[in-house]
Amino acid sequence: MRKIKDLCVVTRTYTQNGQDKKVWKNVGGIYVNDDGQERIAIDAFFNFSALRQDNSDRVWLAAFTPKPKEQQQNNNYQPYDDVHGFDSNATLDTEVPF
C-alpha cells in the first residue's frame, strides 16, 4: 500500500502578526493498495472528542497530498504528544501540515 493523502485536524488557532494561523496534527492517512482500493487509517490514540466542536457533533478532517520524504520535517511521532491541544511537533509559522 502507498499513502496518497495525509489526514489532518486543526488542534488550535492563534494570531501572529495580525494573521490567524492554525496548528495541524496528522491523525491518519488514505492509502491505496495494488488493486486500486482505498483504505483509511486513523490514529487510535488521538482523542477526537477533545477538539473544539463549535456547536457541532462532527470533527472535520482535511486531506493533504503528502510531501516527499526529503521535504518532511523530522516528526518523531509519539501517540500522546497532543495533550490539551498542544502539539510539540507543530511548526507555528506554516499553513500547510507536514
Side-chain angles (χ1 to χ4, degrees), residues 42-56:
I42 301 291
D43 182 351
F45 295 104
F46 185 80
N47 183 4
F48 289 95
S49 64
L51 297 174
R52 176 186 276 179
Q53 300 294 316
D54 293 328
N55 297 321
S56 175

Side-chain angles (χ1 to χ4, degrees), residues 25-63:
K25 174 72 177 163
N26 187 331
V27 295
I30 301 174
Y31 296 81
V32 63
N33 60 21
D34 293 337
D35 66 2
Q37 283 190 319
E38 292 181 358
R39 301 279 188 238
I40 297 174
I42 301 291
D43 182 351
F45 295 104
F46 185 80
N47 183 4
F48 289 95
S49 64
L51 297 174
R52 176 186 276 179
Q53 300 294 316
D54 293 328
N55 297 321
S56 175
D57 59 353
R58 296 180 181 200
V59 173
W60 290 94
L61 301 166

Side-chain angles (χ1 to χ4, degrees), residues 2-3 6 8 16 25 28 32 46-48 51-54 60 62-63 68-69 76 79 82 85 93 96 98:
R2 72 180 173 86
K3 189 181 219 181
D6 284 323
C8 304
Q16 182 180 23
K25 174 72 177 163
V32 63
F46 185 80
N47 183 4
F48 289 95
L51 297 174
R52 176 186 276 179
Q53 300 294 316
D54 293 328
W60 290 94
K69 292 271 187 204
N76 296 322
D82 197 27
D93 60 351
V96 181
F98 310 102

